């Protein structure tokens, strides 16, 4: 991959990572509740989930899903149900000031990693976005498998940087957010449920 092409690709990936979505919201919420060290595993899980989706897309599964609507509908339904469950869980989460001393020790890093990865995998639209987006930066004159590792690693670095920054911001703002922690969790939970509803309505449209 030419350097100028990589630079444009990196800028595009940063813009894609900055777009509001469930994983950024989850990183922000976990950064507030558990602190940035624990939220690191949420971010790692989300990054791995996106890497998997990216690999699936560049291997052509995204095109297959575009021609098989029933498969996409099943994945969207499963994703909407998972985001709804996650939203309800966040809604019921106690305010950070009630958890600050103990929540970080109680939570399993494996659970945080799993939540991050499943949240990334819950939205199959990402596969279609990648399927239409990635080909624009592939050089047909060069071997495909020499370009894919660079693209995947670049995207992973951009996604990780953005999500972990959100987790750090939430951690630094903890003293100011403590007074409204319950409302913050409810807003995050409502956002997840809203995303799930939009996914469901899109299927009915």
């Amino acid at each position: 991959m030419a350097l100028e092409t990589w630079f444009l690709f990196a800028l595009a990936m940063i813009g894609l990572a900055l777009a509001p979505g469930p994983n950024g919201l989850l990183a922000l919420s976990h950064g507030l509740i558990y602190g940035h060290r624990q939220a690191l595993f949420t971010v790692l899980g989300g990054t791995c989930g996106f890497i998997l989706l990216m690999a699936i897309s560049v291997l052509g599964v995204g095109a297959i899903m575009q021609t098989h609507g029933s498969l996409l509908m099943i994945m969207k339904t499963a994703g909407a149900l998972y985001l709804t469950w996650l939203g309800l869980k966040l809604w019921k989460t106690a305010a950070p000031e009630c958890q600050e001393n103990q929540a970080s020790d109680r939570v399993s890093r494996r659970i945080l990693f799993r939540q991050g990865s499943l949240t990334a995998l819950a939205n199959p639209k990402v596969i279609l976005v990648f399927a239409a987006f990635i080909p624009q930066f592939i050089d047909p004159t060069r071997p495909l498998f020499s370009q894919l590792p660079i693209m995947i690693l670049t995207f992973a670095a951009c996604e990780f940087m953005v999500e972990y920054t959100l987790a750090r911001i939430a951690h630094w703002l903890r003293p100011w957010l403590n007074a409204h922690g319950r409302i913050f969790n409810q807003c995050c939970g409502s956002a997840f449920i809203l995303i799930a509803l939009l996914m469901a309505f899109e299927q009915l449209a």
Side-chain angles (χ1 to χ4, degrees):
M1 177 180 288
L3 181 60
E4 57 272 18
T5 303
W6 174 84
F7 183 73
L8 291 175
F9 176 75
L11 287 178
M13 290 297 98
I14 292 175
L16 191 61
L18 286 172
N23 277 85
L25 191 62
L26 187 66
L28 185 66
S29 177
H30 281 186
L32 174 65
I33 297 172
Y34 305 118
H36 67 91
R37 289 185 178 85
Q38 293 292 79
L40 173 62
F41 293 90
T42 304
V43 175
L44 287 173
T47 302
C48 289
F50 280 124
I51 289 174
L52 178 59
L53 287 178
M54 188 174 182
I56 290 174
S57 296
V58 297
L59 290 175
V61 179
I64 295 176
M65 291 178 61
Q66 285 181 312
T67 59
H68 293 78
S70 58
L71 176 59
L72 181 60
M73 182 175 296
I74 292 173
M75 292 187 66
K76 282 186 176 182
T77 301
L81 290 174
Y82 175 74
L83 290 178
T84 300
W85 174 83
L86 192 59
L88 292 174
K89 186 176 181 180
L90 279 174
W91 179 275
K92 297 177 182 178
T93 301
E97 66 265 28
C98 300
Q99 301 182 353
E100 186 170 0
N101 295 327
Q102 299 179 1
S104 181
D105 296 331
R106 286 202 314 265
V107 68
S108 166
R109 293 175 176 178
R110 182 179 300 176
I111 291 176
L112 295 181
F113 183 91
R114 185 173 67 233
Q115 286 189 355
S117 58
L118 288 178
T119 300
L121 295 172
N123 189 356
K125 287 181 65 176
V126 176
I127 295 181
L128 302 181
V129 170
F130 282 143
F133 193 86
I134 299 302
Q136 308 302 320
F137 295 92
I138 294 178
D139 185 350
T141 65
R142 302 189 181 190
L144 178 62
F145 289 99
S146 67
Q147 301 177 65
L148 293 184
I150 297 174
M151 300 176 78
I152 291 176
L153 290 176
T154 300
F155 170 75
C158 294
E159 187 67 32
F160 176 87
M161 179 176 60
V162 169
E163 288 190 23
Y164 189 60
T165 298
L166 289 173
R168 289 299 298 254
I169 289 174
H171 181 67
W172 290 333
L173 294 179
R174 184 193 292 270
W176 292 273
L177 292 173
N178 274 343
H180 307 287
R182 181 69 176 179
I183 296 176
F184 175 82
N185 289 338
Q186 290 177 345
C187 288
C188 289
S190 298
F192 275 105
I193 295 173
L194 177 61
I195 292 172
L197 289 175
L198 290 175
M199 290 172 63
F201 284 135
E202 186 178 2
Q203 294 183 58
L204 299 176

